[in-house]
Amino acid sequence: MDELRAIATFVRAAELGSFNRAAEAQGTTPQAVSKTIRQLEQHLGVRLFHRTTRKSALTEEGLRLLASVKPGLDGLVGALSRARSAALDDQGLVRITAPGAVGRKVLMPLLAEFQQRYPLIQFELLLSEGFSDMVDDRIDVGFRAGNPPDLQVIGRTLFAVQQIVCATPAYLAQHGAPRSIAELQAHRCTAYRQPGSGRAMPWEFEVDGGTVFQHMPTVVCSNDPEADMHAVLAGMGIGQVDSINAAAALRSGLLVPLLASTVSERMGLHLYYPQRADMPGRVRRFIDFAVERLQGSTTYSVPRAELLALAGN
């Protein structure tokens, strides 16, 4: 016997005072209601209704059961109703994970704009260079720069994340600009050390339609992409900085792109989320908004023609 269904039928019949009315309210027959009540009585070992051919009334045991179960049933119905309405609600919490630079530079302006439209939706932003466990950390939406996420999630590529070799005008005035990848070996260079492996990442270049990787002589190495860019901005050397960090500095003239024709666009910024049919409406709204605002954006990615112009080519 489905106890929850039987108790719901019992409460409905008790409140309406009639098996016929309870049947109408539940879209079933009086016979089905009577059978359900009889099974519940047999299951509990007590009689819940005094029945006649014209009406029914609760017994003492029925009155006590109604007083005991109705508050809990009302609470359960309310909870289920709130859960169902979550798919339509414009309020509640959305949990997001992203690397530090992506969170600070890309997402903060996006979240601020989104909340102007949906002020009752809150965000919790988990910044981490590693991948978060979407289940254990209760993540709704993730953002990652690099290769596309694995097949266990749904992913959307938003824009290319370029690896741009650049330096300050002051550094270039003092040391000159390299004219080839080989000439970089004679310069002071910065490097990014991957937090997970602890290895300094090689620089990458697009050459003849393929990707070439090369380690550079390093004067300063950091495990934070933003710190790497600030080392370049401080004039410590030439760096290969991702376009999310570098785009604004390049456009403002604080940095100058070098070897622009070899800029790699192998990686991208990806949005990803778990595969689920019952996604809350607030999460779906944010995903759609992020894709609309960021897909194909050139705010954090510099078109090749613009890079060449900034480099003076």
Side-chain angles (χ1 to χ4, degrees), residues 143-196:
F143 292 82
R144 284 294 156 208
N147 296 317
D150 62 35
L151 298 178
Q152 297 179 9
V153 295
I154 299 173
R156 303 285 295 274
T157 299
L158 300 176
F159 55 80
V161 177
Q162 302 152 299
Q163 303 302 307
I164 304 173
V165 177
C166 50
T168 62
Y171 176 92
L172 296 175
Q174 182 178 356
H175 300 282
R179 293 170 296 179
S180 67
I181 297 173
E183 287 188 13
L184 284 169
Q185 295 291 331
H187 282 266
R188 300 168 63 84
C189 298
T190 70
Y192 168 63
R193 189 180 300 279
Q194 194 173 46

Side-chain angles (χ1 to χ4, degrees), residues 70-240:
K70 190 175 186 307
L73 184 63
D74 289 345
L76 178 60
V77 170
L80 293 174
S81 177
R82 288 190 295 273
R84 281 192 295 268
S85 66
L88 304 174
D89 281 346
D90 293 334
Q91 59 183 325
L93 180 66
V94 179
R95 289 175 58 85
I96 301 172
T97 182
V102 173
R104 286 183 283 269
K105 289 183 168 62
V106 181
L107 294 187
M108 283 304 180
L110 186 75
L111 300 185
E113 184 183 357
F114 183 82
Q115 283 194 325
Q116 290 180 353
R117 184 179 299 183
Y118 300 105
L120 297 181
I121 294 180
Q122 302 95 39
F123 292 96
E124 187 167 341
L125 185 57
L126 177 64
L127 299 182
S128 171
E129 300 305 317
F131 279 89
S132 300
D133 188 301
M134 301 198 79
V135 175
D136 289 347
D137 294 331
R138 296 176 286 115
I139 298 298
D140 295 305
V141 186
F143 292 82
R144 284 294 156 208
N147 296 317
D150 62 35
L151 298 178
Q152 297 179 9
V153 295
I154 299 173
R156 303 285 295 274
T157 299
L158 300 176
F159 55 80
V161 177
Q162 302 152 299
Q163 303 302 307
I164 304 173
V165 177
C166 50
T168 62
Y171 176 92
L172 296 175
Q174 182 178 356
H175 300 282
R179 293 170 296 179
S180 67
I181 297 173
E183 287 188 13
L184 284 169
Q185 295 291 331
H187 282 266
R188 300 168 63 84
C189 298
T190 70
Y192 168 63
R193 189 180 300 279
Q194 194 173 46
S197 67
R199 295 177 297 183
M201 298 296 292
W203 290 13
E204 59 180 75
F205 305 90
E206 184 180 301
V207 178
D208 296 330
T211 304
V212 174
F213 298 90
Q214 189 165 337
H215 285 280
M216 296 297 167
T218 302
V219 296
V220 58
C221 188
S222 171
N223 66 350
D224 179 75
E226 289 177 286
D228 184 35
M229 181 190 69
H230 284 292
V232 180
L233 285 169
M236 298 180 71
I238 296 176
Q240 187 171 71

